[in-house]
Each structure stands twice: as structure tokens, then as C-alpha cells.
Amino acid sequence: MLSYILRRVFQSVIVLLVVGLVAFSMFRFVGDPIDNMLGQERTQADIDRLRSDLGLDQPFVVQYAKFLRGAVQGNFGVSYRQGRPVSTIIAERAPATLELAAVSGFLAITLGIGLGVFTAIRRQGFAANAIMTVSLIGVSLPTFLIGILLIYIFSVELDLLPSFGRGETVRIGGWSTGFLTASGLKALILPAITLGLYQMTLIMRLVRSEMLEVLRADYVRFARARGLSDRVVNFRHALKNTLVPVITVTGLQLGSIIAFAIITETVFQWPGVGLLFINAIQFVDIPVMAAYLMLISVMFVSINLIVDLLYYAIDPRLRIDGRTT
């Protein structure tokens, strides 16, 4: 077990270094931040001085090494646009994105697993077929179009829910939350549905497919032959074995919710780190872009590591293989 964890941690560190290197290399082709920081009356001396102050005149390897050294310490530099520490800016925006991702992930997992099991058990019923037909919307339509449709229906036509913003928030220590206000909860509904719909339909169809395969297994038939009730067979035997391969995909989808919140935050003008990243691209704010991509990479790698460890703990075949290798 310990050797497996150490091996996965080592692989995760290598992935983070490679992702950081690739992302940092791409920033060289985004544009020159000096153009957005100095006015039209700038001189070459002003350009050279600012470039030297920002360290942009140093070799790429030196810039990347300084960035990694600061990132390990939680220091991502100063935003070129706002002139404030990047870590402070991200800390202000992170609660909005994390709350949105948490609600979306909860909806995706609970509804995805529940509807997946229902459509597998009642696969010949009208309700199951209707759910599977409607689920095609979440799989086929792009996220931004789903968000626009929800805004048109519930904000423009019905005037029930807000179309943008986060609503009123309450600050608890260093965390600002919208869970404790009515406007904050209402503002969260449409973005959460938009962000979690694709993941929910994906999890639902995966659970249904795995559940149908498990229900045809010999040990399930043997359990029915022993006279066990359908509830025991479906939820104690079939569902437990269904969730083993689903864990991996579900974990990756949770990382995708955080990473792809950019589109949802842009559509609903949600004040999270995704919208911050879009604005940073427009102004070539390299420290903010680098910090965002590194944090997303850390989240993806961490979630993937946790999923691997859970898979190792749940599936006895991996533990047996680990002892024999």
C-alpha cells in the first residue's frame, strides 16, 4: 500500500511539473503584457525598465524556475493588471467557484447515480425511456447554449431567477458565501444546473450501462435463485459492484466541473476564478493565468490521486496484484 501511494505521488509531481512547463511556455505566444501596461506615449526606455522590473528580460528557464519557487511558497507574484498579489485575488474569487462546483458536483453525483440505477432497473418502463431521451440534451448541447436557454426561459420569460451575478453574500471569516442569503441561493440555481447537467447525464448513462452488465452476471442470478428480494439484489450486490468502475470517471468529472466552470462563469458573469482567467487572457496577465492553470492542475492531480487510492481500497484485485508484483 505504501509503495503504491509513493509511486502515485511521484507520478503526480511529474505531471504537475510538465503541465506547468507547457502552460508557462504557451504564455509567450499570448501577447506582450507591456502593451497593456504602458500608454501610447511610452518610450523605449520605459519599456525596457518595466520589462526589467517584471523580470521579462530574463531567460525562459529562469522565469519558470522563479515561478515554481514562488508557487511552492504560495506566492504567484503580482497581477500585471491590478497590481495586487495574485494569491489574494484568487482567494477572493475562489469561494464563488468552489461553491458553484460543490453544488454542481452534488447534483451530478446524486441525480446521476440515482437516475442511472432507476433506468437500469426499470429499463422497459416509460419513465426510464423518457429520462434516457431527455438525457441526450445534456450530452449533445454545449454548456454555453444550455446556459443561454435557461436564462431565456427562467429569467427573461418567467422572470423567476436572476440571469447574472452571485447575489448577496455573507462573509464568515475569510470566506464569502451565498448559501446564507435568499438571493445568493436563487442566483446559484441556473449556473449549478448548467455546469452539472453534462456531468450528471454522463454519470447516469455510465451507471446504467454498468448496472445492466452487473445484473446479467452469474452471481446476481445465483442471488435471485437463493430467494433474495429485488431490493437486496439490486442495492446490496449489484450497485456495490457497479460503482467500482464509476468512481474513476466520477472523480475526473468533479475535476472537470472546476476546470470547465470558465464557460458557465462567463455566461452568467459569475465572479469566480474562471471569469478571472478570461479577463487575465484579455489583458495578458501572465501571473494570474499561470496561477490559475497550476491550481487547476493541482486539483485534477489531487482528485485523480484520491480516486486511485479509493479504487485500490475498494477493488481487492488491485491489492492482490500489488502483492504479487
PDB file of all heavy atoms in Angstrom, residues 267-305:
ATOM      1  N   VAL A 267     -20.907  32.958 -19.009  1.00  0.00           N
ATOM      2  CA  VAL A 267     -22.298  33.140 -19.418  1.00  0.00           C
ATOM      3  C   VAL A 267     -23.095  33.872 -18.353  1.00  0.00           C
ATOM      4  O   VAL A 267     -23.878  34.788 -18.650  1.00  0.00           O
ATOM      5  CB  VAL A 267     -22.943  31.770 -19.727  1.00  0.00           C
ATOM      6  CG1 VAL A 267     -24.448  31.918 -19.962  1.00  0.00           C
ATOM      7  CG2 VAL A 267     -22.288  31.141 -20.941  1.00  0.00           C
ATOM      8  N   PHE A 268     -22.901  33.492 -17.094  1.00  0.00           N
ATOM      9  CA  PHE A 268     -23.685  34.075 -16.003  1.00  0.00           C
ATOM     10  C   PHE A 268     -22.949  35.197 -15.278  1.00  0.00           C
ATOM     11  O   PHE A 268     -23.442  35.674 -14.253  1.00  0.00           O
ATOM     12  CB  PHE A 268     -24.054  32.976 -14.996  1.00  0.00           C
ATOM     13  CG  PHE A 268     -25.047  31.982 -15.513  1.00  0.00           C
ATOM     14  CD1 PHE A 268     -24.613  30.797 -16.104  1.00  0.00           C
ATOM     15  CD2 PHE A 268     -26.403  32.211 -15.433  1.00  0.00           C
ATOM     16  CE1 PHE A 268     -25.512  29.869 -16.591  1.00  0.00           C
ATOM     17  CE2 PHE A 268     -27.321  31.289 -15.909  1.00  0.00           C
ATOM     18  CZ  PHE A 268     -26.869  30.117 -16.500  1.00  0.00           C
ATOM     19  N   GLN A 269     -21.771  35.589 -15.796  1.00  0.00           N
ATOM     20  CA  GLN A 269     -20.966  36.619 -15.127  1.00  0.00           C
ATOM     21  C   GLN A 269     -20.789  36.304 -13.643  1.00  0.00           C
ATOM     22  O   GLN A 269     -20.948  37.174 -12.767  1.00  0.00           O
ATOM     23  CB  GLN A 269     -21.599  38.000 -15.317  1.00  0.00           C
ATOM     24  CG  GLN A 269     -21.501  38.530 -16.730  1.00  0.00           C
ATOM     25  CD  GLN A 269     -20.046  38.711 -17.185  1.00  0.00           C
ATOM     26  OE1 GLN A 269     -19.331  39.571 -16.662  1.00  0.00           O
ATOM     27  NE2 GLN A 269     -19.612  37.911 -18.136  1.00  0.00           N
ATOM     28  N   TRP A 270     -20.459  35.045 -13.394  1.00  0.00           N
ATOM     29  CA  TRP A 270     -20.259  34.574 -12.026  1.00  0.00           C
ATOM     30  C   TRP A 270     -18.864  34.994 -11.571  1.00  0.00           C
ATOM     31  O   TRP A 270     -17.870  34.669 -12.214  1.00  0.00           O
ATOM     32  CB  TRP A 270     -20.405  33.061 -11.994  1.00  0.00           C
ATOM     33  CG  TRP A 270     -20.417  32.454 -10.632  1.00  0.00           C
ATOM     34  CD1 TRP A 270     -19.374  31.898  -9.972  1.00  0.00           C
ATOM     35  CD2 TRP A 270     -21.545  32.340  -9.763  1.00  0.00           C
ATOM     36  NE1 TRP A 270     -19.770  31.434  -8.754  1.00  0.00           N
ATOM     37  CE2 TRP A 270     -21.100  31.692  -8.589  1.00  0.00           C
ATOM     38  CE3 TRP A 270     -22.890  32.715  -9.859  1.00  0.00           C
ATOM     39  CZ2 TRP A 270     -21.956  31.415  -7.529  1.00  0.00           C
ATOM     40  CZ3 TRP A 270     -23.740  32.443  -8.804  1.00  0.00           C
ATOM     41  CH2 TRP A 270     -23.269  31.805  -7.658  1.00  0.00           C
ATOM     42  N   PRO A 271     -18.726  35.705 -10.459  1.00  0.00           N
ATOM     43  CA  PRO A 271     -17.426  36.276 -10.070  1.00  0.00           C
ATOM     44  C   PRO A 271     -16.474  35.254  -9.460  1.00  0.00           C
ATOM     45  O   PRO A 271     -16.069  35.371  -8.296  1.00  0.00           O
ATOM     46  CB  PRO A 271     -17.822  37.352  -9.057  1.00  0.00           C
ATOM     47  CG  PRO A 271     -19.071  36.824  -8.427  1.00  0.00           C
ATOM     48  CD  PRO A 271     -19.808  36.097  -9.521  1.00  0.00           C
ATOM     49  N   GLY A 272     -16.097  34.238 -10.248  1.00  0.00           N
ATOM     50  CA  GLY A 272     -15.189  33.221  -9.769  1.00  0.00           C
ATOM     51  C   GLY A 272     -13.844  33.285 -10.453  1.00  0.00           C
ATOM     52  O   GLY A 272     -13.544  34.215 -11.214  1.00  0.00           O
ATOM     53  N   VAL A 273     -13.020  32.285 -10.224  1.00  0.00           N
ATOM     54  CA  VAL A 273     -11.678  32.278 -10.802  1.00  0.00           C
ATOM     55  C   VAL A 273     -11.713  32.003 -12.298  1.00  0.00           C
ATOM     56  O   VAL A 273     -10.783  32.368 -13.024  1.00  0.00           O
ATOM     57  CB  VAL A 273     -10.793  31.239 -10.086  1.00  0.00           C
ATOM     58  CG1 VAL A 273     -10.523  31.646  -8.651  1.00  0.00           C
ATOM     59  CG2 VAL A 273     -11.419  29.847 -10.133  1.00  0.00           C
ATOM     60  N   GLY A 274     -12.770  31.359 -12.789  1.00  0.00           N
ATOM     61  CA  GLY A 274     -12.880  31.134 -14.226  1.00  0.00           C
ATOM     62  C   GLY A 274     -13.027  32.439 -14.991  1.00  0.00           C
ATOM     63  O   GLY A 274     -12.349  32.669 -16.004  1.00  0.00           O
ATOM     64  N   LEU A 275     -13.908  33.302 -14.521  1.00  0.00           N
ATOM     65  CA  LEU A 275     -14.070  34.615 -15.138  1.00  0.00           C
ATOM     66  C   LEU A 275     -12.807  35.449 -14.960  1.00  0.00           C
ATOM     67  O   LEU A 275     -12.437  36.230 -15.855  1.00  0.00           O
ATOM     68  CB  LEU A 275     -15.270  35.333 -14.524  1.00  0.00           C
ATOM     69  CG  LEU A 275     -15.680  36.664 -15.148  1.00  0.00           C
ATOM     70  CD1 LEU A 275     -16.043  36.488 -16.622  1.00  0.00           C
ATOM     71  CD2 LEU A 275     -16.856  37.286 -14.391  1.00  0.00           C
ATOM     72  N   LEU A 276     -12.141  35.295 -13.843  1.00  0.00           N
ATOM     73  CA  LEU A 276     -10.864  35.981 -13.622  1.00  0.00           C
ATOM     74  C   LEU A 276      -9.838  35.552 -14.665  1.00  0.00           C
ATOM     75  O   LEU A 276      -9.077  36.382 -15.189  1.00  0.00           O
ATOM     76  CB  LEU A 276     -10.356  35.668 -12.216  1.00  0.00           C
ATOM     77  CG  LEU A 276      -8.976  36.225 -11.841  1.00  0.00           C
ATOM     78  CD1 LEU A 276      -9.016  37.742 -11.759  1.00  0.00           C
ATOM     79  CD2 LEU A 276      -8.519  35.642 -10.506  1.00  0.00           C
ATOM     80  N   PHE A 277      -9.820  34.268 -14.999  1.00  0.00           N
ATOM     81  CA  PHE A 277      -8.879  33.761 -16.002  1.00  0.00           C
ATOM     82  C   PHE A 277      -9.183  34.331 -17.378  1.00  0.00           C
ATOM     83  O   PHE A 277      -8.263  34.690 -18.138  1.00  0.00           O
ATOM     84  CB  PHE A 277      -8.944  32.232 -16.024  1.00  0.00           C
ATOM     85  CG  PHE A 277      -8.039  31.606 -17.041  1.00  0.00           C
ATOM     86  CD1 PHE A 277      -6.667  31.615 -16.865  1.00  0.00           C
ATOM     87  CD2 PHE A 277      -8.555  30.989 -18.174  1.00  0.00           C
ATOM     88  CE1 PHE A 277      -5.823  31.035 -17.798  1.00  0.00           C
ATOM     89  CE2 PHE A 277      -7.723  30.405 -19.108  1.00  0.00           C
ATOM     90  CZ  PHE A 277      -6.355  30.430 -18.920  1.00  0.00           C
ATOM     91  N   ILE A 278     -10.445  34.431 -17.745  1.00  0.00           N
ATOM     92  CA  ILE A 278     -10.824  35.012 -19.041  1.00  0.00           C
ATOM     93  C   ILE A 278     -10.369  36.463 -19.127  1.00  0.00           C
ATOM     94  O   ILE A 278      -9.808  36.904 -20.151  1.00  0.00           O
ATOM     95  CB  ILE A 278     -12.339  34.908 -19.247  1.00  0.00           C
ATOM     96  CG1 ILE A 278     -12.762  33.442 -19.366  1.00  0.00           C
ATOM     97  CG2 ILE A 278     -12.773  35.674 -20.487  1.00  0.00           C
ATOM     98  CD1 ILE A 278     -12.182  32.722 -20.555  1.00  0.00           C
ATOM     99  N   ASN A 279     -10.586  37.226 -18.077  1.00  0.00           N
ATOM    100  CA  ASN A 279     -10.138  38.625 -18.069  1.00  0.00           C
ATOM    101  C   ASN A 279      -8.619  38.718 -18.109  1.00  0.00           C
ATOM    102  O   ASN A 279      -8.065  39.641 -18.723  1.00  0.00           O
ATOM    103  CB  ASN A 279     -10.675  39.334 -16.827  1.00  0.00           C
ATOM    104  CG  ASN A 279     -12.189  39.462 -16.831  1.00  0.00           C
ATOM    105  OD1 ASN A 279     -12.806  39.530 -17.894  1.00  0.00           O
ATOM    106  ND2 ASN A 279     -12.792  39.489 -15.659  1.00  0.00           N
ATOM    107  N   ALA A 280      -7.941  37.761 -17.471  1.00  0.00           N
ATOM    108  CA  ALA A 280      -6.478  37.772 -17.483  1.00  0.00           C
ATOM    109  C   ALA A 280      -5.941  37.519 -18.888  1.00  0.00           C
ATOM    110  O   ALA A 280      -4.917  38.089 -19.284  1.00  0.00           O
ATOM    111  CB  ALA A 280      -5.951  36.713 -16.514  1.00  0.00           C
ATOM    112  N   ILE A 281      -6.615  36.671 -19.662  1.00  0.00           N
ATOM    113  CA  ILE A 281      -6.187  36.431 -21.042  1.00  0.00           C
ATOM    114  C   ILE A 281      -6.310  37.703 -21.872  1.00  0.00           C
ATOM    115  O   ILE A 281      -5.431  38.032 -22.684  1.00  0.00           O
ATOM    116  CB  ILE A 281      -7.017  35.286 -21.656  1.00  0.00           C
ATOM    117  CG1 ILE A 281      -6.694  33.970 -20.956  1.00  0.00           C
ATOM    118  CG2 ILE A 281      -6.751  35.166 -23.161  1.00  0.00           C
ATOM    119  CD1 ILE A 281      -7.522  32.807 -21.445  1.00  0.00           C
ATOM    120  N   GLN A 282      -7.391  38.426 -21.689  1.00  0.00           N
ATOM    121  CA  GLN A 282      -7.609  39.643 -22.467  1.00  0.00           C
ATOM    122  C   GLN A 282      -6.540  40.691 -22.189  1.00  0.00           C
ATOM    123  O   GLN A 282      -6.164  41.449 -23.089  1.00  0.00           O
ATOM    124  CB  GLN A 282      -9.001  40.217 -22.160  1.00  0.00           C
ATOM    125  CG  GLN A 282     -10.143  39.294 -22.582  1.00  0.00           C
ATOM    126  CD  GLN A 282     -11.496  39.818 -22.139  1.00  0.00           C
ATOM    127  OE1 GLN A 282     -11.585  40.792 -21.388  1.00  0.00           O
ATOM    128  NE2 GLN A 282     -12.563  39.164 -22.600  1.00  0.00           N
ATOM    129  N   PHE A 283      -6.048  40.731 -20.945  1.00  0.00           N
ATOM    130  CA  PHE A 283      -5.052  41.733 -20.566  1.00  0.00           C
ATOM    131  C   PHE A 283      -3.646  41.141 -20.473  1.00  0.00           C
ATOM    132  O   PHE A 283      -2.740  41.813 -19.970  1.00  0.00           O
ATOM    133  CB  PHE A 283      -5.435  42.371 -19.229  1.00  0.00           C
ATOM    134  CG  PHE A 283      -6.612  43.299 -19.303  1.00  0.00           C
ATOM    135  CD1 PHE A 283      -7.896  42.824 -19.115  1.00  0.00           C
ATOM    136  CD2 PHE A 283      -6.439  44.636 -19.592  1.00  0.00           C
ATOM    137  CE1 PHE A 283      -8.992  43.664 -19.195  1.00  0.00           C
ATOM    138  CE2 PHE A 283      -7.521  45.488 -19.666  1.00  0.00           C
ATOM    139  CZ  PHE A 283      -8.806  45.006 -19.470  1.00  0.00           C
ATOM    140  N   VAL A 284      -3.468  39.906 -20.922  1.00  0.00           N
ATOM    141  CA  VAL A 284      -2.168  39.229 -20.896  1.00  0.00           C
ATOM    142  C   VAL A 284      -1.566  39.310 -19.492  1.00  0.00           C
ATOM    143  O   VAL A 284      -0.390  39.651 -19.315  1.00  0.00           O
ATOM    144  CB  VAL A 284      -1.204  39.822 -21.950  1.00  0.00           C
ATOM    145  CG1 VAL A 284      -0.065  38.842 -22.218  1.00  0.00           C
ATOM    146  CG2 VAL A 284      -1.900  40.157 -23.239  1.00  0.00           C
ATOM    147  N   ASP A 285      -2.388  38.993 -18.499  1.00  0.00           N
ATOM    148  CA  ASP A 285      -1.940  39.000 -17.104  1.00  0.00           C
ATOM    149  C   ASP A 285      -1.328  37.628 -16.795  1.00  0.00           C
ATOM    150  O   ASP A 285      -1.995  36.727 -16.263  1.00  0.00           O
ATOM    151  CB  ASP A 285      -3.121  39.291 -16.182  1.00  0.00           C
ATOM    152  CG  ASP A 285      -2.671  39.765 -14.812  1.00  0.00           C
ATOM    153  OD1 ASP A 285      -1.490  39.541 -14.477  1.00  0.00           O
ATOM    154  OD2 ASP A 285      -3.486  40.359 -14.084  1.00  0.00           O
ATOM    155  N   ILE A 286      -0.055  37.476 -17.127  1.00  0.00           N
ATOM    156  CA  ILE A 286       0.607  36.171 -17.063  1.00  0.00           C
ATOM    157  C   ILE A 286       0.613  35.574 -15.653  1.00  0.00           C
ATOM    158  O   ILE A 286       0.347  34.376 -15.492  1.00  0.00           O
ATOM    159  CB  ILE A 286       2.034  36.274 -17.629  1.00  0.00           C
ATOM    160  CG1 ILE A 286       1.971  36.582 -19.135  1.00  0.00           C
ATOM    161  CG2 ILE A 286       2.814  34.985 -17.392  1.00  0.00           C
ATOM    162  CD1 ILE A 286       3.324  36.760 -19.781  1.00  0.00           C
ATOM    163  N   PRO A 287       0.916  36.317 -14.587  1.00  0.00           N
ATOM    164  CA  PRO A 287       0.897  35.693 -13.249  1.00  0.00           C
ATOM    165  C   PRO A 287      -0.449  35.089 -12.884  1.00  0.00           C
ATOM    166  O   PRO A 287      -0.504  34.005 -12.292  1.00  0.00           O
ATOM    167  CB  PRO A 287       1.264  36.865 -12.319  1.00  0.00           C
ATOM    168  CG  PRO A 287       2.055  37.786 -13.173  1.00  0.00           C
ATOM    169  CD  PRO A 287       1.434  37.706 -14.529  1.00  0.00           C
ATOM    170  N   VAL A 288      -1.549  35.766 -13.238  1.00  0.00           N
ATOM    171  CA  VAL A 288      -2.881  35.225 -12.930  1.00  0.00           C
ATOM    172  C   VAL A 288      -3.152  33.975 -13.747  1.00  0.00           C
ATOM    173  O   VAL A 288      -3.662  32.977 -13.227  1.00  0.00           O
ATOM    174  CB  VAL A 288      -3.962  36.297 -13.194  1.00  0.00           C
ATOM    175  CG1 VAL A 288      -5.356  35.695 -13.017  1.00  0.00           C
ATOM    176  CG2 VAL A 288      -3.777  37.471 -12.256  1.00  0.00           C
ATOM    177  N   MET A 289      -2.811  33.995 -15.036  1.00  0.00           N
ATOM    178  CA  MET A 289      -3.029  32.822 -15.882  1.00  0.00           C
ATOM    179  C   MET A 289      -2.214  31.635 -15.395  1.00  0.00           C
ATOM    180  O   MET A 289      -2.711  30.500 -15.324  1.00  0.00           O
ATOM    181  CB  MET A 289      -2.681  33.159 -17.336  1.00  0.00           C
ATOM    182  CG  MET A 289      -3.630  34.133 -18.001  1.00  0.00           C
ATOM    183  SD  MET A 289      -3.332  34.285 -19.781  1.00  0.00           S
ATOM    184  CE  MET A 289      -1.741  35.120 -19.784  1.00  0.00           C
ATOM    185  N   ALA A 290      -0.963  31.878 -15.057  1.00  0.00           N
ATOM    186  CA  ALA A 290      -0.106  30.790 -14.594  1.00  0.00           C
ATOM    187  C   ALA A 290      -0.611  30.212 -13.274  1.00  0.00           C
ATOM    188  O   ALA A 290      -0.641  28.982 -13.088  1.00  0.00           O
ATOM    189  CB  ALA A 290       1.329  31.288 -14.440  1.00  0.00           C
ATOM    190  N   ALA A 291      -1.017  31.077 -12.365  1.00  0.00           N
ATOM    191  CA  ALA A 291      -1.520  30.611 -11.071  1.00  0.00           C
ATOM    192  C   ALA A 291      -2.795  29.802 -11.245  1.00  0.00           C
ATOM    193  O   ALA A 291      -2.971  28.748 -10.610  1.00  0.00           O
ATOM    194  CB  ALA A 291      -1.773  31.803 -10.149  1.00  0.00           C
ATOM    195  N   TYR A 292      -3.676  30.268 -12.107  1.00  0.00           N
ATOM    196  CA  TYR A 292      -4.940  29.552 -12.332  1.00  0.00           C
ATOM    197  C   TYR A 292      -4.680  28.154 -12.891  1.00  0.00           C
ATOM    198  O   TYR A 292      -5.237  27.158 -12.400  1.00  0.00           O
ATOM    199  CB  TYR A 292      -5.827  30.349 -13.283  1.00  0.00           C
ATOM    200  CG  TYR A 292      -7.077  29.609 -13.701  1.00  0.00           C
ATOM    201  CD1 TYR A 292      -8.199  29.589 -12.877  1.00  0.00           C
ATOM    202  CD2 TYR A 292      -7.130  28.925 -14.905  1.00  0.00           C
ATOM    203  CE1 TYR A 292      -9.346  28.909 -13.246  1.00  0.00           C
ATOM    204  CE2 TYR A 292      -8.265  28.238 -15.285  1.00  0.00           C
ATOM    205  CZ  TYR A 292      -9.377  28.234 -14.462  1.00  0.00           C
ATOM    206  OH  TYR A 292     -10.498  27.552 -14.833  1.00  0.00           O
ATOM    207  N   LEU A 293      -3.852  28.065 -13.917  1.00  0.00           N
ATOM    208  CA  LEU A 293      -3.595  26.765 -14.539  1.00  0.00           C
ATOM    209  C   LEU A 293      -2.882  25.806 -13.585  1.00  0.00           C
ATOM    210  O   LEU A 293      -3.159  24.604 -13.570  1.00  0.00           O
ATOM    211  CB  LEU A 293      -2.771  26.953 -15.813  1.00  0.00           C
ATOM    212  CG  LEU A 293      -3.508  27.638 -16.973  1.00  0.00           C
ATOM    213  CD1 LEU A 293      -2.587  27.802 -18.162  1.00  0.00           C
ATOM    214  CD2 LEU A 293      -4.741  26.838 -17.374  1.00  0.00           C
ATOM    215  N   MET A 294      -1.979  26.331 -12.773  1.00  0.00           N
ATOM    216  CA  MET A 294      -1.302  25.471 -11.809  1.00  0.00           C
ATOM    217  C   MET A 294      -2.272  24.971 -10.742  1.00  0.00           C
ATOM    218  O   MET A 294      -2.234  23.789 -10.353  1.00  0.00           O
ATOM    219  CB  MET A 294      -0.146  26.219 -11.158  1.00  0.00           C
ATOM    220  CG  MET A 294       1.068  26.401 -12.050  1.00  0.00           C
ATOM    221  SD  MET A 294       1.794  24.827 -12.590  1.00  0.00           S
ATOM    222  CE  MET A 294       2.322  24.132 -11.032  1.00  0.00           C
ATOM    223  N   LEU A 295      -3.162  25.830 -10.274  1.00  0.00           N
ATOM    224  CA  LEU A 295      -4.129  25.406  -9.261  1.00  0.00           C
ATOM    225  C   LEU A 295      -5.098  24.370  -9.826  1.00  0.00           C
ATOM    226  O   LEU A 295      -5.451  23.400  -9.147  1.00  0.00           O
ATOM    227  CB  LEU A 295      -4.890  26.624  -8.734  1.00  0.00           C
ATOM    228  CG  LEU A 295      -4.075  27.585  -7.870  1.00  0.00           C
ATOM    229  CD1 LEU A 295      -4.913  28.792  -7.477  1.00  0.00           C
ATOM    230  CD2 LEU A 295      -3.551  26.886  -6.626  1.00  0.00           C
ATOM    231  N   ILE A 296      -5.538  24.573 -11.076  1.00  0.00           N
ATOM    232  CA  ILE A 296      -6.422  23.596 -11.698  1.00  0.00           C
ATOM    233  C   ILE A 296      -5.700  22.262 -11.862  1.00  0.00           C
ATOM    234  O   ILE A 296      -6.269  21.176 -11.641  1.00  0.00           O
ATOM    235  CB  ILE A 296      -6.919  24.117 -13.058  1.00  0.00           C
ATOM    236  CG1 ILE A 296      -7.855  25.306 -12.856  1.00  0.00           C
ATOM    237  CG2 ILE A 296      -7.630  23.009 -13.835  1.00  0.00           C
ATOM    238  CD1 ILE A 296      -9.103  24.993 -12.075  1.00  0.00           C
ATOM    239  N   SER A 297      -4.429  22.329 -12.228  1.00  0.00           N
ATOM    240  CA  SER A 297      -3.646  21.098 -12.369  1.00  0.00           C
ATOM    241  C   SER A 297      -3.517  20.380 -11.031  1.00  0.00           C
ATOM    242  O   SER A 297      -3.632  19.146 -10.960  1.00  0.00           O
ATOM    243  CB  SER A 297      -2.257  21.425 -12.925  1.00  0.00           C
ATOM    244  OG  SER A 297      -2.344  22.075 -14.177  1.00  0.00           O
ATOM    245  N   VAL A 298      -3.268  21.139  -9.974  1.00  0.00           N
ATOM    246  CA  VAL A 298      -3.163  20.531  -8.637  1.00  0.00           C
ATOM    247  C   VAL A 298      -4.476  19.862  -8.252  1.00  0.00           C
ATOM    248  O   VAL A 298      -4.490  18.748  -7.703  1.00  0.00           O
ATOM    249  CB  VAL A 298      -2.763  21.599  -7.605  1.00  0.00           C
ATOM    250  CG1 VAL A 298      -2.897  21.050  -6.186  1.00  0.00           C
ATOM    251  CG2 VAL A 298      -1.337  22.059  -7.840  1.00  0.00           C
ATOM    252  N   MET A 299      -5.604  20.518  -8.552  1.00  0.00           N
ATOM    253  CA  MET A 299      -6.902  19.920  -8.227  1.00  0.00           C
ATOM    254  C   MET A 299      -7.128  18.635  -9.005  1.00  0.00           C
ATOM    255  O   MET A 299      -7.565  17.623  -8.448  1.00  0.00           O
ATOM    256  CB  MET A 299      -8.020  20.931  -8.524  1.00  0.00           C
ATOM    257  CG  MET A 299      -8.075  22.103  -7.581  1.00  0.00           C
ATOM    258  SD  MET A 299      -9.439  23.218  -7.933  1.00  0.00           S
ATOM    259  CE  MET A 299      -9.148  24.494  -6.713  1.00  0.00           C
ATOM    260  N   PHE A 300      -6.836  18.672 -10.309  1.00  0.00           N
ATOM    261  CA  PHE A 300      -7.020  17.483 -11.132  1.00  0.00           C
ATOM    262  C   PHE A 300      -6.154  16.334 -10.620  1.00  0.00           C
ATOM    263  O   PHE A 300      -6.627  15.192 -10.464  1.00  0.00           O
ATOM    264  CB  PHE A 300      -6.673  17.784 -12.592  1.00  0.00           C
ATOM    265  CG  PHE A 300      -7.871  17.963 -13.471  1.00  0.00           C
ATOM    266  CD1 PHE A 300      -8.200  19.194 -13.977  1.00  0.00           C
ATOM    267  CD2 PHE A 300      -8.663  16.872 -13.793  1.00  0.00           C
ATOM    268  CE1 PHE A 300      -9.311  19.359 -14.783  1.00  0.00           C
ATOM    269  CE2 PHE A 300      -9.771  17.015 -14.611  1.00  0.00           C
ATOM    270  CZ  PHE A 300     -10.098  18.268 -15.113  1.00  0.00           C
ATOM    271  N   VAL A 301      -4.889  16.614 -10.377  1.00  0.00           N
ATOM    272  CA  VAL A 301      -3.972  15.570  -9.936  1.00  0.00           C
ATOM    273  C   VAL A 301      -4.363  15.051  -8.555  1.00  0.00           C
ATOM    274  O   VAL A 301      -4.309  13.839  -8.294  1.00  0.00           O
ATOM    275  CB  VAL A 301      -2.525  16.107  -9.938  1.00  0.00           C
ATOM    276  CG1 VAL A 301      -1.583  15.118  -9.267  1.00  0.00           C
ATOM    277  CG2 VAL A 301      -2.060  16.382 -11.363  1.00  0.00           C
ATOM    278  N   SER A 302      -4.780  15.944  -7.668  1.00  0.00           N
ATOM    279  CA  SER A 302      -5.181  15.520  -6.320  1.00  0.00           C
ATOM    280  C   SER A 302      -6.420  14.636  -6.371  1.00  0.00           C
ATOM    281  O   SER A 302      -6.482  13.592  -5.698  1.00  0.00           O
ATOM    282  CB  SER A 302      -5.437  16.751  -5.443  1.00  0.00           C
ATOM    283  OG  SER A 302      -4.277  17.541  -5.332  1.00  0.00           O
ATOM    284  N   ILE A 303      -7.416  15.049  -7.162  1.00  0.00           N
ATOM    285  CA  ILE A 303      -8.635  14.245  -7.283  1.00  0.00           C
ATOM    286  C   ILE A 303      -8.313  12.891  -7.893  1.00  0.00           C
ATOM    287  O   ILE A 303      -8.815  11.846  -7.446  1.00  0.00           O
ATOM    288  CB  ILE A 303      -9.689  14.995  -8.111  1.00  0.00           C
ATOM    289  CG1 ILE A 303     -10.193  16.217  -7.336  1.00  0.00           C
ATOM    290  CG2 ILE A 303     -10.851  14.079  -8.474  1.00  0.00           C
ATOM    291  CD1 ILE A 303     -11.149  17.093  -8.118  1.00  0.00           C
ATOM    292  N   ASN A 304      -7.463  12.894  -8.917  1.00  0.00           N
ATOM    293  CA  ASN A 304      -7.086  11.636  -9.552  1.00  0.00           C
ATOM    294  C   ASN A 304      -6.345  10.721  -8.574  1.00  0.00           C
ATOM    295  O   ASN A 304      -6.545   9.496  -8.562  1.00  0.00           O
ATOM    296  CB  ASN A 304      -6.214  11.920 -10.777  1.00  0.00           C
ATOM    297  CG  ASN A 304      -6.072  10.712 -11.673  1.00  0.00           C
ATOM    298  OD1 ASN A 304      -6.942   9.853 -11.707  1.00  0.00           O
ATOM    299  ND2 ASN A 304      -4.971  10.637 -12.397  1.00  0.00           N
ATOM    300  N   LEU A 305      -5.484  11.308  -7.739  1.00  0.00           N
ATOM    301  CA  LEU A 305      -4.763  10.525  -6.734  1.00  0.00           C
ATOM    302  C   LEU A 305      -5.720   9.931  -5.706  1.00  0.00           C
ATOM    303  O   LEU A 305      -5.612   8.751  -5.337  1.00  0.00           O
ATOM    304  CB  LEU A 305      -3.724  11.412  -6.043  1.00  0.00           C
ATOM    305  CG  LEU A 305      -2.901  10.755  -4.931  1.00  0.00           C
ATOM    306  CD1 LEU A 305      -2.099   9.587  -5.475  1.00  0.00           C
ATOM    307  CD2 LEU A 305      -1.971  11.788  -4.291  1.00  0.00           C
TER     308      LEU A 305
END
